[in-house]
C-alpha cells in the first residue's frame, strides 16, 4: 500500500511516526523555513517527475541563511534524501513534498542564536489547489504584505504564513477564491501562496522582487517559457492595484497553484472574464514540461521510480469489474 513517509531526525519513517515535542522552538515562535515541491505523476513513464527540486533546495538554503538556521546538507544531499523518500512512499499519483529546516531546541525565548536546528521533510498525495481551468476570483486583501523590514518575504519563513492565512481566510469568507495582498505603499505584492502576473499591451508584468514577494520558481519558469517560446516581453516593475482591473489577462503562479487564471478581481471582470489565450498557451507549455513531454526542458524535472509495482492494465480492469 502506498503510504506517506518522512525524513525525520535523520531516518526515513512512516509520516505518522514523525512527531515533534510541544516545546519545539519552531512551534513556539514560527522559527522555521520551508519549501513546497511538486512531484508530477507520469503514467507513460511510470515515474514521478519532481519539478526543479534543485532550485527549491537552493531557495531553502537561502531562507535558512537569512534565518540563521543551520542546514549542513548541501543541495545534492537534500535532493537525494527527497528522491529516497518519494521512492519509498510508492505513490503513483501527483505528490507534494514539504521540506522544513527548523529550530528544534526546546527552549523559551524568541531568538535565532543558541537554539538547536534540524531538518525534516515529508510527502503527501496532492491534486489541484486552485481551479486552473475555470479560473479564480480574487479580492484585494485588507491585510498588507509583511515588508522586508519586518519579516523578509523572500525567505519562506513558517511564521510569515500567518500573514497569508489572514488574507486567504478573509478572501474566502468574503466569497472569493484567493487574496491579492498589497505592500504598505499600496502596490501589488503577491497572493497568499502565489506570485501575480498581468498581461498588458502584449507584455507580461510581475512586481519587482523588492515588492516583498517570494522569488517564485514557477514564476521564473513561466516567464522563461513566455520569452523563449512565445516571444513575449517580460518585465518586473511596480504594479498599481487599478492595473489589475484593466489587465488583458491576469494569472497567479505557484507550486501548488501552477498557473491559475484570475478571471475577476474585486468584482470586476478581468479581460474577457474567462481563461485568456496567452494564459492558455502558457498552461499548455508548462503542463507539457511538468509531465516530461518537452525534451528542451527535460532538465527541469528529476524522475523518481516509485517503489512497488505498477498495477497491470488487465488486472486493474478485472478489479474494477
Ligand atoms: N509567494 C508565496 C507567498 C508562496 O508561498 C509561493 C509558493 N511557494 C509563491 C509565491 C510561489 O512560489 P513557487 O512558484 O516557487 O512555488
Amino acid at each position: 500500500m502506498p503510504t506517506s513517509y518522512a525524513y525525520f531526525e535523520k531516518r526515513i519513517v512512516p509520516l505518522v511516526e514523525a512527531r515533534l515535542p510541544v516545546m519545539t522552538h519552531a512551534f513556539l515562535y514560527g522559527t522555521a523555513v520551508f519549501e513546497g515541491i511538486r512531484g508530477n505523476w507520469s503514467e507513460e513513464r511510470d515515474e514521478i517527475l519532481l519539478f526543479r527540486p534543485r532550485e527549491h533546495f537552493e531557495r531553502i538554503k537561502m531562507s535558512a541563511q537569512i534565518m540563521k538556521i543551520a542546514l549542513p546538507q548541501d543541495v545534492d544531499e537534500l535532493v537525494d534524501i527527497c528522491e529516497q523518500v518519494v521512492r519509498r512512499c510508492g505513490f503513483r499519483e501527483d505528490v507534494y513534498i514539504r521540506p522544513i529546516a527548523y529550530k528544534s531546541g526546546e527552549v523559551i525565548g524568541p531568538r535565532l542564536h543558541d537554539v538547536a536546528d534540524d531538518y525534516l521533510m515529508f510527502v503527501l498525495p496532492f491534486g489541484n489547489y486552485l481551479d486552473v481551468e475555470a479560473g479564480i476570483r480574487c479580492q484585494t486583501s485588507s491585510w498588507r504584505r509583511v515588508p522586508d523590514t519586518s519579516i523578509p518575504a523572500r525567505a519562506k519563513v513558517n511564521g510569515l504564513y500567518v500573514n497569508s492565512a489572514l488574507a486567504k481566510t478573509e478572501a474566502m469568507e468574503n466569497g472569493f477564491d484567493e487574496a491579492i495582498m498589497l505592500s504598505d505603499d499600496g502596490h501589488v505584492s503577491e497572493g497568499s501562496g502565489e506570485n501575480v502576473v498581468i498581461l498588458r499591451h502584449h507584455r507580461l508584468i510581475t512586481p519587482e522582487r523588492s515588492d516583498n514577494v517570494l522569488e517564485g520558481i514557477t514564476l521564473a519558469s513561466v516567464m522563461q517559457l513566455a520569452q523563449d517560446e512565445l516571444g513575449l516581453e517580460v518585465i518586473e516593475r511596480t504594479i498599481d492595484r487599478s492595473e489589475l482591473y484593466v489587465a488583458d489577462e491576469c494569472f497567479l503562479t505557484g507550486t501548488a497553484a501552477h498557473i491559475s487564471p484570475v478571471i475577476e478581481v474585486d468584482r470586476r471582470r478581468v479581460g474577457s472574464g474567462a481563461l485568456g489565450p496567452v494564459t492558455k498557451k502558457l498552461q499548455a507549455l508548462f503542463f507539457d514540461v511538468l509531465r516530461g513531454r518537452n525534451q528542451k526542458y527535460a532538465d527541469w524535472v528529476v524522475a523518481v521510480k516509485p517503489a512497488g509495482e505498477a498495477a497491470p492494465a488487465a488486472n486493474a480492469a478485472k478489479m474494477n469489474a
Side-chain angles (χ1 to χ4, degrees):
M1 264 292 278
T3 315
S4 281
Y5 276 84
Y7 175 81
F8 182 63
E9 296 179 342
K10 310 198 171 32
R11 291 190 311 130
I12 297 178
V13 297
L15 179 58
V16 290
E17 289 174 22
R19 290 280 177 264
L20 288 170
V22 293
M23 269 191 59
T24 304
H25 199 270
F27 177 66
L28 297 181
Y29 301 109
T31 44
V33 294
F34 73 103
E35 274 304 317
I37 308 174
R38 269 194 188 259
N40 299 294
W41 173 239
S42 166
E43 193 74 46
E44 301 104 276
R45 294 167 53 166
D46 189 41
E47 282 173 335
I48 286 185
L49 306 177
L50 307 178
F51 186 68
R52 308 196 85 170
R54 292 195 69 80
E55 285 77 357
H56 282 281
F57 288 116
E58 278 160 12
R59 190 168 65 186
I60 203 173
K61 299 279 290 182
M62 184 193 75
S63 298
Q65 153 78 8
I66 291 173
M67 293 300 291
K68 289 179 170 283
I69 296 175
L71 181 53
Q73 293 93 336
D74 64 22
V75 169
D76 287 330
E77 286 171 273
L78 293 169
V79 173
D80 184 59
I81 294 167
C82 177
E83 287 181 41
Q84 287 183 45
V85 180
V86 169
R87 190 172 304 119
R88 182 76 165 269
C89 293
F91 292 120
R92 287 183 155 70
E93 59 187 300
D94 293 347
V95 297
Y96 179 81
I97 298 145
R98 168 60 60 96
I100 308 175
Y102 63 104
K103 293 269 164 215
S104 58
E106 295 178 53
V107 287
I108 296 291
R111 62 177 190 267
L112 299 177
H113 63 281
D114 291 342
V115 185
D117 303 300
D118 207 347
Y119 171 73
L120 63 79
M121 50 110 13
F122 57 85
V123 178
L124 300 171
F126 200 68
N128 270 348
Y129 180 70
L130 293 170
D131 195 329
V132 291
E133 277 155 30
I136 56 167
R137 300 171 53 249
C138 293
Q139 177 184 39
T140 305
S141 184
S142 69
W143 297 99
R144 292 298 166 100
R145 188 68 179 139
V146 172
D148 190 70
T149 46
S150 299
I151 308 176
R154 77 166 38 72
K156 218 168 149 51
V157 181
N158 289 48
L160 177 61
Y161 280 73
V162 168
N163 185 217
S164 292
L166 287 165
K168 176 82 180 185
T169 292
E170 178 192 50
M172 293 202 70
E173 289 183 349
N174 286 339
F176 296 87
D177 304 303
E178 186 53 280
I180 293 179
M181 286 180 278
L182 306 179
S183 291
D184 261 345
D185 68 358
H187 292 120
V188 174
S189 179
E190 61 182 343
S192 68
E194 307 87 14
N195 293 109
V196 179
V197 181
I198 60 171
L199 177 77
R200 284 198 80 194
H201 314 305
H202 310 290
R203 297 154 109 196
L204 278 184
I205 311 164
T206 193
E208 281 176 81
R209 51 195 77 200
S210 53
D211 282 335
N212 309 309
V213 299
L214 183 74
E215 295 170 3
I217 293 164
T218 315
L219 177 72
S221 309
V222 170
M223 292 309 221
Q224 190 176 331
L225 290 173
Q227 222 165 14
D228 295 354
E229 305 300 320
L230 303 183
L232 282 173
E233 192 186 341
V234 156
I235 50 176
E236 286 182 20
R237 69 151 169 82
T238 303
I239 298 179
D240 283 332
R241 172 182 185 164
S242 57
E243 280 191 285
L244 298 174
Y245 304 159
V246 295
D248 300 317
E249 296 183 33
C250 177
F251 58 83
L252 304 182
T253 62
T255 292
H258 289 312
I259 301 175
S260 297
V262 175
I263 55 168
E264 204 184 291
V265 177
D266 298 341
R267 302 194 192 279
R268 289 161 179 86
R269 206 176 58 191
V270 176
S272 67
L275 171 63
V278 171
T279 310
K280 190 173 173 180
K281 277 189 211 155
L282 285 170
Q283 280 186 338
L285 278 164
F286 185 64
F287 288 129
D288 265 0
V289 173
L290 284 188
R291 306 272 168 205
R293 295 189 193 116
N294 185 333
Q295 276 318 300
K296 187 168 166 193
Y297 298 93
D299 64 347
W300 284 8
V301 299
V302 171
V304 179
K305 183 68 96 186
E309 290 294 311
N315 279 358
K318 239 187 272 162
M319 278 159 59
N320 291 336

